Structures are given as structure tokens and as C-alpha cells.
Amino acid sequence: GAVVSQHPSRVICKSGTSVKIECRSLDFQATTMFWYRQFPKKSLMLMATSNEGSKATYEQGVEKDKFLINHASLTLSTLTVTSAHPEDSSFYICSASRSLERSYNEQFFGPGTRLTVL
Amino acid sequence: AQKITQTQPGMFVQEKEAVTLDCTYDTSDQSYGLFWYKQPSSGEMIFLIYQGSYDEQNATEGRYSLNFQKARKSANLVISASQLGDSAMYFCAMRGGASKIIFGSGTRLSIRP
């Protein structure tokens, strides 16, 4: 099966610093990657859709300048939380699909990254 | 606009019993897909089962089956012969025309020995 990794799995940072989270598809090329945010005991909220080589599409209410997404290759997308604050503390999950047309049942999730901002 | 509703925040079930997790959805898309994911305490999202809107038969995957009632816009997950390892959060999700997947609020399932 397809494997998606995330790095780091946990990160603790000071308020005001920036944090980069990587999402990699290990054994397939991901034309589309999705970034989700999950608060404790809550559902996954889609933040943005990232297509390789183009700008990410952000969901309503998600600050583009706060959450920078780069999808520079078919196996790597990064989410950078800029000038992080305690309210940015959350569980961030990425998912990847092989192609837009086949993403019906081929979206593979990473293990998530737990961000804690002090 | 698309919407997924899970009305059961938590459920307790005796081991070996069957359990049904409810999910209703709303969409204006003619073509869509419905998913169920399991999220254990470790946080990983585990894909369980998928149902396409044009699939005539209900999807089944081992102990999991999806009771798809298109007219009622419901896609309930049935787990047969529940096991202790089934204790987790379960999310119903839908993919519409924009390819993105939206999730319901989840149901926390606890299996009693």
C-alpha cells in the first residue's frame, strides 16, 4: 500500500518562531496533497489543497500568510506555520492522492504532527 | 455546500456485538464518494471502507460494511463482531466534485470486555 510520512511527529516551539512540517509520499507520486488541522477531540478540518507546481488553494478562514504551503515536487509538500502562537497548537495531518481524478478512494494519510507552541 | 453529520458523539458496545455508527450527508453533487476512517489514540487515520454514489451494492470490507441509503442520504458503518481493538474515533467523510474530503464530527466507540 501507499505510505505517507510526516516529519516531525512532535514539535515544541516558542511563541514567535516558525515551524516547518514535511509530508512525503514514500512509494508513489502525489499530484495532490491535503493539509488538515485537528483540535483535541474534534474532527479534521481541511486547511488547504496543494497541487504540485502550483499555489495551494486555501479553505475559507485559513490565513495564507500564516500557513505557508509548498508542493515543490511530486513526493513532498511542506506546511510552515509562521510566527507561531499558542493558539496554533494542534495536530496537523497531511494526506496525498495519486491523481485528482483517482482521489475518490486513494487518499492516504500521514501519521500526523503534534505542534505545541509555548 | 457539502455537509457530513454524525449524531453519536460516543457509544459503548459489548465485545462481540455488532455496532452501527450513523452518518448522514448532504450534497448537491451527483457524483460523490463516502468514506469511513478509524482514528485510534495514536492519531493516525486508518481507511476502512469506501462507497461510491453510483455503486449499486453496499460496500463490504471484512467485518466492516457500509449501509448506503442514497434516498435518505445516509451511509452508516456496521461493524460485526466487535473487538476490543475497535475502540477508537470513527469519522465519516465525503468527497465531492472538488476532490477534497470533508469529515463529520466523529463518534468515539468504546468496546467493553
Side-chain angles (χ1 to χ4, degrees), chain A:
Chain A
V3 178
V4 175
S5 70
Q6 278 185 244
H7 178 79
S9 57
R10 291 178 178 270
V11 57
I12 301 173
C13 68
K14 293 182 178 179
S15 184
T17 61
S18 294
V19 176
K20 180 184 285 187
I21 302 170
E22 294 185 347
C23 177
R24 293 182 184 272
S25 55
L26 299 184
D27 50 4
F28 67 99
Q29 292 186 328
T31 54
T32 306
M33 287 185 171
F34 303 86
W35 285 96
Y36 295 85
R37 181 175 182 177
Q38 186 179 28
F39 291 104
K41 299 183 180 181
K42 297 293 184 182
S43 185
L44 280 72
M45 300 298 295
L46 180 65
M47 299 174 66
T49 302
S50 168
N51 292 303
E52 186 268 335
S54 63
K55 289 184 179 180
T57 302
Y58 290 82
E59 294 299 301
Q60 191 173 8
V62 177
E63 298 177 60
K64 301 178 182 180
D65 296 330
K66 176 75 172 176
F67 299 100
L68 301 179
I69 292 173
N70 183 276
H71 193 161
S73 77
L74 286 172
T75 59
L76 174 65
S77 176
T78 60
L79 167 67
T80 301
V81 183
T82 62
S83 187
H85 287 90
E87 58 265 28
D88 298 324
S89 298
S90 191
F91 192 56
Y92 292 88
I93 306 176
C94 74
S95 69
S97 62
R98 287 188 176 91
S99 71
L100 207 61
E101 293 77 19
R102 296 186 64 193
S103 62
Y104 281 97
N105 59 342
E106 288 188 331
Q107 188 163 128
F108 306 98
F109 283 83
T113 297
R114 189 164 301 283
L115 170 64
T116 303
V117 184
L118 302 177

Side-chain angles (χ1 to χ4, degrees), chain A residues 93 107-110, chain B residues 35-49 64 77 85 87-91 103:
Chain A
I93 306 176
Q107 188 163 128
F108 306 98
F109 283 83
Chain B
F35 306 75
W36 276 92
Y37 289 89
K38 173 184 178 181
Q39 187 181 41
S41 56
S42 58
E44 62 192 295
M45 295 293 286
I46 301 171
F47 167 76
L48 295 178
I49 197 166
Y64 305 107
L77 175 71
S87 295
M89 280 291 289
Y90 287 81
F91 291 99
F103 288 81

Side-chain angles (χ1 to χ4, degrees), chain B residues 60-71:
Chain B
T60 60
E61 289 287 347
R63 293 187 299 113
Y64 305 107
S65 60
L66 199 152
N67 185 359
F68 183 43
Q69 303 284 328
K70 194 171 183 178

